[in-house]
Amino acid sequence: RISTRNFEAITTEAMNRLITSLLILLIAFQSCMKPDKPNNLIMINSPAGANSEEPFLTTGADGNVYMSWLEKDQNKATLFYSQLTDEKWSDPVKIAQGSDWFVNWADHPVMAVNKSGDMIAHYLQKSDSATFAYDIKIVTKRSGELQWSEPIKLHNDTVNAEHGFVSMQPMKNDNFLISWLDGRNTTSSGHGHGKGSMTIRAANLNPNGNKLEEWELDNRVCDCCGTTSGTIENGAVVVYRNRTENEVRDMSIVRYVNNQWTKPTPVFNDNWKIAGCPVNGPSLSTINNTLAIGWFTAADEKPKVNLSFSNNSGATLDQPIQVDMGNPLGRLKVELLDTKTAFISWMEGDQIVAAKVEQSGQIIQRYSLASSSTDRGSGFPQITAINNDMIVAWTDAKLKKVKTGILKL
């Protein structure tokens, strides 16, 4: 028989053990949610000058790393690029310059390089005095040449509306796949909320920028979230934020297989219902027929950064892996390291963070990359993989300058 006093002592001792165990679990959980290696980004002297912004990083099909960015003064904007060699950027090269460009923190220029070293880039040029009336202008440079081409308008319509949020991919035949948001069915007086809906289109361009084919991929999409694209063994993939009639804005995927585009299908049904555009597009990376797709959602007012894999060219996708640490802003980028491992970066509050994630769902390691700002002026941080390193670029909103660094994986 246990006395009341002994029973109370045993109960107190058991409760103390339980509390201690819970504290240990809580500390372990919190440590798992923090970056394993803070401040482990090695800075690289940036080629960008004063008043620079909107960096874009890419590893070309030729195996080299390139960065484009904008520099502004009171009257004009200039688009530059540089190549990274032995962890040093080359001197900046001017791609194009204009005094009538549309410069926006979210709708930034991009570039691509095919395996022959041919380059293609774009910028946005105002087509009317309305705020969101601008065209996509394409410029190219053939390998071995010094001069960039005269600009070509990507789309054939003459509607003074929004055209932008471009993604570019070099194809195996050295042509380029371009996808973009096209507002020809809207009016220029509003931001994609006119008489019609924003669409997403794609085109096949040769290295001279000549359009060979063009398609409408979806006739109703979110108005100002970036698009993303990638190549697969026998085709291509485009991912974007869709928009239903009742304002659910989740990610959709279309695939170019057997010489035709599939109908849009959900990446995952988050069921995020939101009346306006969240300005937070997806990111896609591919290796052969393996895909990794990252995206931001705030369904049920719970912000998340998710990552999903596919091993069949996106025909089906795994259940999403939540990678954020509880306070995600989004603005993410994804790079596959191999067919089972992805590296994803995003903004957690005002911090640029990242994680290495296995397809099994295990987060192998977390990284703290840099401090930034939640302001729009900080833009979208960029990453690209080269060998066993990750190159990082972002806009320092306070200094108004693009910064770069390298993370040794």
Side-chain angles (χ1 to χ4, degrees):
R1 181 178 178 181
I2 301 175
S3 69
T4 302
R5 181 178 298 175
N6 288 339
F7 179 78
E8 290 175 349
I10 293 171
T11 303
T12 301
E13 182 181 355
M15 183 62 70
N16 287 336
R17 286 200 302 267
L18 176 61
I19 292 172
T20 301
S21 299
L22 289 173
L23 285 173
I24 292 171
L25 286 172
L26 178 61
I27 292 169
F29 175 76
Q30 289 177 334
S31 66
C32 289
M33 296 299 287
K34 295 180 180 179
D36 300 320
K37 293 185 177 181
N39 305 318
N40 46 7
L41 187 72
I42 302 170
M43 298 299 293
I44 303 175
N45 288 332
S46 173
N51 296 315
S52 55
E53 60 185 61
E54 300 183 32
F56 175 77
L57 285 173
T58 185
T59 300
D62 63 349
N64 295 310
V65 169
Y66 300 89
M67 181 174 73
S68 66
W69 69 94
L70 285 174
E71 293 184 14
K72 297 190 301 182
D73 62 24
Q74 292 181 348
N75 301 315
K76 64 181 182 298
T78 306
L79 179 61
F80 292 96
Y81 87 93
S82 177
Q83 180 179 329
L84 188 69
T85 305
D86 297 328
E87 300 182 14
K88 294 181 180 179
W89 293 106
S90 65
D91 291 337
V93 177
K94 184 175 75 173
I95 297 175
Q97 186 179 76
S99 59
D100 58 351
W101 290 10
F102 179 78
V103 177
N104 180 270
W105 70 282
D107 198 351
H108 53 78
V110 302
M111 65 179 297
V113 184
N114 66 18
K115 62 179 181 291
S116 298
D118 303 316
M119 299 181 176
I120 188 169
H122 93 281
Y123 60 88
L124 305 174
Q125 185 177 48
K126 291 287 294 181
S127 60
D128 188 78
S129 59
T131 303
F132 296 105
Y134 53 90
D135 295 330
I136 300 166
K137 293 299 182 76
I138 297 292
V139 287
T140 61
K141 188 178 82 66
R142 299 304 298 265
S143 178
E145 295 182 356
L146 297 177
Q147 297 297 319
W148 285 79
S149 70
E150 291 296 315
I152 302 171
K153 191 169 79 169
L154 174 62
H155 42 95
N156 296 329
D157 70 285
T158 58
V159 179
N160 293 327
E162 182 179 5
H163 305 80
F165 295 95
V166 175
S167 65
M168 297 180 172
Q169 283 294 323
M171 305 298 287
K172 291 182 179 180
N173 61 2
D174 267 358
N175 288 339
F176 294 96
L177 173 69
I178 316 293
S179 62
W180 72 96
L181 298 188
D182 193 299
R184 67 183 64 186
N185 296 334
T186 69
T187 64
S188 59
S189 59
H191 196 180
H193 295 282
K195 295 180 180 179
S197 300
M198 184 67 70
T199 66
I200 183 169
R201 302 180 75 89
N204 178 19
L205 273 61
N206 69 17
N208 290 320
N210 298 318
K211 191 187 303 180
L212 307 177
E213 297 174 278
E214 182 177 339
W215 311 269
E216 183 182 82
L217 305 180
D218 195 327
N219 63 9
R220 183 179 173 87
V221 303
C222 197
D223 312 290
C224 47
C225 285
T227 66
T228 184
S229 57
T231 59
I232 51 179
E233 286 186 350
N234 295 306
V237 175
V238 175
V239 181
Y240 56 96
R241 190 178 294 279
N242 211 327
R243 178 187 174 196
T244 68
E245 293 289 343
N246 61 348
E247 300 294 5
V248 172
R249 304 187 189 225
D250 290 343
M251 298 301 159
S252 285
I253 181 172
V254 291
R255 304 179 301 123
Y256 189 73
V257 291
N258 299 321
N259 297 316
Q260 62 182 357
W261 288 98
T262 62
K263 292 182 178 180
T265 56
V267 172
F268 182 75
N269 289 315
D270 294 299
N271 293 314
W272 186 15
K273 188 172 184 178
I274 178 172
C277 176
V279 197
N280 238 320
S283 181
L284 165 69
S285 182
T286 63
I287 296 178
N288 299 325
N289 288 330
T290 296
L291 277 61
I293 302 173
W295 72 95
F296 174 84
T297 182
D300 300 321
E301 298 184 356
K302 296 177 182 177
K304 297 178 183 178
V305 171
N306 285 335
L307 178 68
S308 185
F309 289 80
S310 171
N311 296 120
N312 56 10
S313 305
T316 58
L317 286 128
D318 295 348
Q319 286 293 304
I321 304 162
Q322 185 177 350
V323 300
D324 64 84
M325 297 180 286
N327 187 35
L329 190 64
R331 305 187 195 181
L332 56 94
K333 289 291 178 180
V334 174
E335 286 282 313
L336 274 170
L337 303 177
D338 54 51
T339 57
K340 297 294 182 182
T341 314
F343 185 94
I344 179 170
S345 68
W346 70 96
M347 290 193 66
E348 190 83 17
D350 62 0
Q351 299 296 304
I352 305 172
V353 299
K356 189 190 297 185
V357 186
E358 287 188 344
Q359 186 174 7
S360 64
Q362 180 184 0
I363 297 178
I364 304 170
Q365 190 168 330
R366 293 186 180 275
Y367 304 86
S368 175
L369 300 182
S371 294
S372 185
S373 167
T374 58
D375 294 342
R376 290 184 172 188
S378 65
F380 284 70
Q382 299 286 311
I383 60 171
T384 194
I386 181 71
N387 300 323
N388 293 319
D389 301 329
M390 194 66 61
I391 310 302
V392 185
W394 70 99
T395 301
D396 187 316
K398 291 183 179 179
L399 297 179
K400 296 183 179 180
K401 181 177 171 63
V402 171
K403 292 184 175 181
T404 61
I406 183 170
L407 180 70
K408 302 287 188 177
L409 298 180

